[in-house]
Amino acid sequence: MSTTDQDVKSTILISLFNHNVPDPPTDAPYVPSDVEATNYYYGLPSKPRFIARSSPDVWMKPTGAEAYLELTPLGTHLLNAVWEKTVGPAMDLYFQGKGVQVTSMNPLRIGMAGQSSPPAVIFVGVNPGSLSPELGIEVAVHCRSILVQNGIDDVHVEIRESKFTRAAMMYKPAISANPAAAVREPFSTSLGLSICNAKTPNFEGTGGIFFIDPAKPGILHLLTARHVLFHPDKEENKFYKFRDGTGAPRKKVMLLGEAAFKARLKDIEAAIGAKKVIINQLNRRLALAEKMEDEDDATAERKAVKPKMDEAIEAIEAFEELLADVIRDWEEEENRVIGHVVLSPPLASTTAMTALPMIGRLNFIGNAIDLGSVEVDELTAWVYPHPANPSSFEYPGDRLLRCFGTVSDQEMFRPDPRNKDHDDDPVIMVLKNGNTSKLTVGRLNTIRAFVREYFNGVAGKMSKEVSVLPRNSKSGPFSVSGDSGSVVIDAMGRICGILTGGDGATDVSDCTFVTSINFLVKRLAAFGIKANIFPLPTDL
């Protein structure tokens, strides 16, 4: 992103007329002007403010042509061998010593949309307003020296303002022929449940995956992110385990908080209204047919209207039946309590498991994501953006993409070279169905990020998370606030992990963070839980 890069495409070119950018020095990192700080990351979803970088490269004054920055996976790089055990911890220790409130350290590439092999950087986020550009330059340059000392001389450090936010009897999914399938989905047992702590119904997240513990047969559990059910500002960050028989109250888990429930009712009512509009228009067509002098034309018009009229009437009946069922079954908050928290280690472990007595064998389908909100051809193009990709994705006949295996950490960091993104780079395309942003597709980064959350200004432990980047420069973020807890899977249905949060200057995430399913299964095993993450209805 400078005039000294060989690829001139890395220069940011945006429309910013009537702004003056002062000439900076060219032999050392410099304090950015307000214009540069505001527009350096033009095109990223959260529009983060740039603070400093280790490179002395000069940001070119915008000249008027439209361009968008894009974050892409790091890919194969020498940094992979030293990042997690050496470079990342060394940077973290240095930042702590300097009192820098780092929220994330994410190795990736950043450049113009479509640029081939854009520059690799350590994409560092700090709490907004916590770091001056002068100190930012100092720490960026020092972190660059850590890279060089470890044999990495082609990676620079960029720092921007960015907060880490913790991206809160059910029905069986309807068949595709059911007109109400889409609006019924929030109340069904497919993955992507909108959940919350019953005491904080306005703080919602997403249920991740179901699992069973063979030591406790017949009991279905749900894995999600801890902060979905333990509000970081209202609950102490300490180990929790429910012990039956002690008289301690249960931490109840609710399906759909008050606002979410009312929104889902409005969705059904809106669907009914839309079909009534169609019926009114069809009736006007029939009225005109009655006035036609040519009987053949009138007959043709009636014939064309009839199936559309029948379809609209059938849809209204289905919507009205669903609305009545939902109000009867779910309107009372107590009826929406679907289970209680059983175990939750401190936040750094990102795990909470919940017992779900309100999901029965007849309505349970296993771990599956309902893909019905996106059309077949569109979703296929999202998942396989490169025309030469060996497409292993087949849109299921019943819309339900079932989970069947896991993606190893080794494959996450070294994806199959035959699978490429639109930039022709090896990548694993992943998807999730979240409470807020619903079904989205993104690109799994090939190296883990270091992430830290702050609790009332106090730094929490640094954790290592897999990151998911937006599908492309125009697709929007992979996740937003309220999607935490969602399961992230690849196009074949293999589980990658549980979505734990996002990183950006606002509630919109430039990067999404995921805790590996391989770590979570081991974590559960450490607590004596041999989790079967592929339960079947016969297991209940």
Side-chain angles (χ1 to χ4, degrees), residues 329-537:
D329 297 339
W330 303 102
E331 187 171 37
E332 295 295 328
E333 286 193 354
E334 190 61 31
N335 291 348
R336 299 203 301 277
V337 173
I338 59 174
H340 68 95
V341 180
V342 176
L343 174 73
S344 184
L347 194 57
S349 301
T350 68
T351 310
M353 55 177 285
T354 304
L356 301 172
M358 290 187 66
I359 296 181
R361 176 184 295 186
L362 294 179
N363 294 337
F364 183 59
I365 58 170
N367 284 318
I369 290 182
D370 192 328
L371 307 178
S373 60
V374 180
E375 292 297 327
V376 178
D377 54 346
E378 185 176 18
L379 183 59
T380 302
W382 288 2
V383 173
Y384 289 97
H386 195 286
N389 269 3
S391 177
S392 57
F393 173 69
E394 293 184 358
Y395 197 102
D398 59 2
R399 311 180 320 277
L400 301 175
L401 180 57
R402 288 170 169 80
C403 303
F404 79 96
T406 62
V407 179
S408 69
D409 290 349
Q410 291 76 16
E411 185 177 352
M412 290 186 200
F413 305 147
R414 201 178 277 263
D416 187 336
R418 294 176 299 173
N419 294 325
K420 300 180 183 297
D421 62 12
H422 60 284
D423 293 326
D424 204 31
D425 294 320
V427 72
I428 296 178
M429 304 297 292
V430 294
L431 55 87
K432 69 100 185 76
N433 185 33
N435 166 51
T436 307
S437 61
K438 305 307 177 186
L439 188 63
T440 58
V441 173
R443 293 180 283 182
L444 202 67
N445 199 1
T446 54
I447 190 169
R448 278 188 286 216
F450 284 78
V451 175
R452 174 179 284 118
E453 188 171 9
Y454 289 77
F455 304 91
N456 297 320
V458 179
K461 292 182 178 180
M462 183 70 83
S463 63
K464 289 181 285 189
E465 309 283 350
V466 179
S467 63
V468 180
L469 310 177
R471 178 167 50 86
N472 58 45
S473 63
K474 300 293 182 67
S475 64
F478 181 71
S479 70
V480 297
S481 179
D483 290 331
S484 288
S486 306
V487 64
V488 176
I489 66 175
D490 73 358
M492 293 185 289
R494 297 182 301 167
I495 300 174
C496 298
I498 298 295
L499 195 158
T500 55
D503 178 76
T506 64
D507 287 342
V508 177
S509 300
D510 298 317
C511 307
T512 293
F513 297 111
V514 176
T515 299
S516 167
I517 188 62
N518 306 300
F519 169 82
L520 292 175
V521 170
K522 291 178 182 178
R523 186 68 173 168
L524 290 172
F527 289 101
I529 300 168
K530 297 181 179 179
N532 172 9
I533 59 175
F534 304 106
L536 301 173

Side-chain angles (χ1 to χ4, degrees), residues 189 191 193 209-211 220-222 356 359 364 366-367 533 535:
T189 58
L191 297 179
L193 306 181
I209 56 170
F210 300 112
F211 72 93
L220 187 66
H221 295 91
L222 180 68
L356 301 172
I359 296 181
F364 183 59
N367 284 318
I533 59 175

